[in-house]
Amino acid sequence: MQKQLQARRLDGIDKNPWVVFTKLASECDAVNLGQGFPDFPPPDFAVEAFQHAVSGDFMLNQYTRAFGYPPLIKILASFFGKLLGQEIDPLENVLVTVGAYGALFTAFQALVDEGDEVIIIEPSFDCYEPMTLMAGGHPVFVSLKLTPTKDRELDASSDWQLDPTELASKFTSRTKALILNTPNNPLGKASLFGGGPCRCSPRQNWRWWPACASSMTCCASLTRSTSGWSTMGASTSALVGWVLGPDRLMKHLRTVHQNSIFHCPTQSQAAVAQSFQREQLHFGQPSSYFLQFPQAMQRKRDHVIQSLLSVGLRPVISQGSYFLITDISDFKSRMPDLPGAADEPYDSRFVKWMIKNKGLVAIPVSIFYSQSHQKHFDHYIRFCFVKDESTLQAMDKKLQEWKDELRA
């Protein structure tokens, strides 16, 4: 019998929904509110920082310190140390990676062993499960549940609650880690824990933070967090991420890093360092980019909410990040038999129909759930609003055409 070519750890994780919907969006020339990337320029100070990094010191063309460009780890330690109110050693508590994806992958490979259980709170970004599996771990899922209130016209992401008793029941002797994502992608929920017996939420208050961050809380009560300079700097190709955590965890991440990626582009690190240095001088003031950017995102969010309401979609008001989900239950009742495979979730079929017939791209929320839970959450789709005004105007035009069709 012929030996299997690919490693067994790749079994069942080869399909990627982003490839499917990106391809369909391109083929239909649709307005893309699906993928989480800005289609407007980075801020001037970030552009200038990258230009300086490329045209300035020629030694920035060479390797820097494997675990992070010294000025970058220094400013990250200083910035987050002040934010968290604690001392962060730049050499022992900070690791620079190739984007937040690289940070997550390094953490999973370093800390999750064969047979370990990793608790994932759903909805969750779709890389957590395959990263757990590739490390040999076993994902254990617990879902946020909607508890709507009657005093508002629209539901909000804060209405999605985690049952602490259900969460506590997921812990066993094999539990190794709990993954937190805040603000949650796709919900935009800013705080996952409101109390109860399990208090392992990171200390960060990410409401001001325009990007999504992830934390892995290990059972030894040690937490490490990951984030990256991508959408918050309006430059997803920069691919500079980082990990913060205690040295007794970080030393294992450094082992994985030095035997895989080893090094991240020096020029990108230098540009991000300069951008953070600028932000630290302005932080807390009206000139702060981390203040201005969320304010701009809130205006865009409100714009998208009003536009979606016009065609009968029911947005869920997000608290943070640059995503919101929309309830499509009414369409599911009126249009239950959309084309698609028999086992394909309704939201996936709806998004494909919407791309082809309405020229609008969203992402089905069921992809953010484990397979056994998808059928319970197949009546939501996710929109991204970190988009240029011209894109939002193009969305308005598509929605107006849709609205006119509904009236006809």
Side-chain angles (χ1 to χ4, degrees):
M1 185 172 66
Q2 188 176 8
K3 188 175 182 179
Q4 179 172 301
L5 179 62
Q6 76 276 17
R8 288 191 301 276
R9 61 180 172 272
L10 301 182
D11 290 349
I13 62 171
D14 54 321
K15 291 183 173 56
N16 187 301
W18 304 99
V19 174
V20 174
F21 291 102
T22 301
K23 181 175 181 290
L24 185 58
S26 177
E27 292 172 349
C28 297
D29 193 28
V31 179
N32 193 344
L33 300 177
Q35 289 177 281
F37 65 87
D39 59 358
F40 49 81
D44 291 342
F45 70 84
V47 173
E48 292 168 5
F50 274 88
Q51 290 172 339
H52 183 263
V54 172
S55 61
D57 184 358
F58 69 89
M59 285 304 294
L60 293 180
N61 291 292
Q62 309 307 325
Y63 290 128
T64 185
R65 177 178 173 272
F67 306 127
Y69 177 59
L72 178 56
I73 60 172
K74 183 178 178 181
I75 188 61
L76 289 174
S78 173
F79 186 88
F80 286 102
K82 292 176 181 177
L83 182 67
L84 300 174
Q86 64 186 60
E87 288 290 325
I88 296 179
D89 186 316
L91 296 176
E92 293 188 346
N93 304 137
V94 183
L95 171 66
V96 177
T97 62
V98 180
Y101 244 65
L104 284 166
F105 186 79
T106 300
F108 277 98
Q109 290 296 312
L111 302 175
V112 178
D113 209 352
E114 192 76 31
D116 285 343
E117 293 181 351
V118 177
I119 297 175
I120 300 173
I121 299 171
E122 298 180 304
S124 64
F125 195 62
D126 63 320
C127 71
Y128 300 153
E129 181 178 4
M131 286 188 183
T132 299
L133 294 171
M134 280 193 283
H138 175 67
V140 177
F141 300 97
V142 57
S143 298
L144 294 164
K145 303 293 196 310
L146 176 62
T147 53
T149 59
K150 296 181 179 179
D151 58 347
R152 289 195 309 267
E153 181 182 354
L154 295 176
D155 294 327
S157 58
S158 56
D159 299 327
W160 291 69
Q161 300 293 328
L162 184 63
D163 182 346
T165 303
E166 182 183 6
L167 174 63
S169 72
K170 302 296 182 180
F171 284 85
T172 72
S173 60
R174 296 183 299 278
T175 303
K176 186 64 172 290
L178 168 67
I179 309 301
L180 306 179
N181 173 215
T182 179
N184 175 272
N185 181 5
L187 282 179
K189 181 177 174 63
S191 177
L192 292 178
F193 293 91
C198 182
R199 295 181 180 271
C200 47
S201 176
R203 291 175 57 194
Q204 298 98 320
N205 179 0
W206 294 101
R207 287 174 183 266
W208 61 269
W209 195 257
C212 291
S214 299
S215 287
M216 176 182 287
T217 300
C218 291
C219 291
S221 297
L222 298 173
T223 303
R224 48 143 296 281
S225 66
T226 69
S227 193
W229 178 270
S230 56
T231 312
M232 70 169 144
S235 179
T236 53
S237 67
L239 288 179
V240 176
W242 52 85
V243 188
L244 307 177
D247 185 57
R248 60 184 298 183
L249 292 183
M250 298 296 290
K251 65 182 181 180
H252 303 301
L253 274 69
R254 291 193 292 267
T255 298
V256 172
H257 182 82
Q258 71 190 17
N259 289 291
S260 54
I261 299 301
F262 182 72
H263 172 269
C264 305
T266 308
Q267 293 168 330
S268 292
Q269 293 189 66
V272 173
Q274 184 178 327
S275 297
F276 260 105
Q277 289 162 359
R278 183 263 185 199
E279 177 58 27
Q280 189 167 54
L281 294 174
H282 293 264
F283 191 67
Q285 303 175 33
S287 56
S288 166
Y289 177 69
F290 287 168
L291 176 65
Q292 296 171 352
F293 190 70
Q295 291 173 344
M297 290 306 100
Q298 184 168 337
R299 290 192 294 271
K300 292 177 184 293
R301 180 203 67 180
D302 294 345
H303 178 154
V304 170
I305 286 173
Q306 292 304 313
S307 295
L308 294 175
L309 283 169
S310 69
V311 295
L313 294 167
R314 291 190 56 78
V316 175
I317 302 172
S318 59
Q319 297 169 292
S321 81
Y322 32 81
F323 300 115
L324 61 81
I325 68 169
T326 297
D327 191 331
I328 57 170
S329 297
D330 290 346
F331 287 89
K332 188 176 181 180
S333 299
R334 299 199 308 263
M335 305 162 50
D337 300 319
L338 291 177
D343 60 346
E344 185 177 9
Y346 181 81
D347 57 348
S348 177
R349 290 183 282 135
F350 181 86
V351 167
K352 290 177 181 177
W353 170 85
M354 187 173 69
I355 294 172
K356 293 176 182 177
N357 294 278
K358 305 303 176 185
L360 286 172
V361 183
I363 297 295
V365 168
S366 61
I367 73 166
F368 301 101
Y369 284 89
S370 54
Q371 190 167 3
S372 61
H373 292 166
Q374 287 183 354
K375 62 180 177 294
H376 303 300
F377 299 94
D378 70 344
H379 53 286
Y380 295 98
I381 59 177
R382 190 198 78 173
F383 288 93
C384 173
F385 51 82
V386 60
K387 301 297 180 183
D388 188 73
E389 285 303 313
S390 62
T391 303
L392 298 184
Q393 290 171 9
M395 171 202 70
D396 290 340
K397 182 180 179 182
K398 296 288 187 182
L399 289 171
Q400 183 60 50
E401 293 171 354
W402 191 350
K403 184 178 179 179
D404 292 342
E405 291 173 8
L406 292 173
R407 288 175 172 172

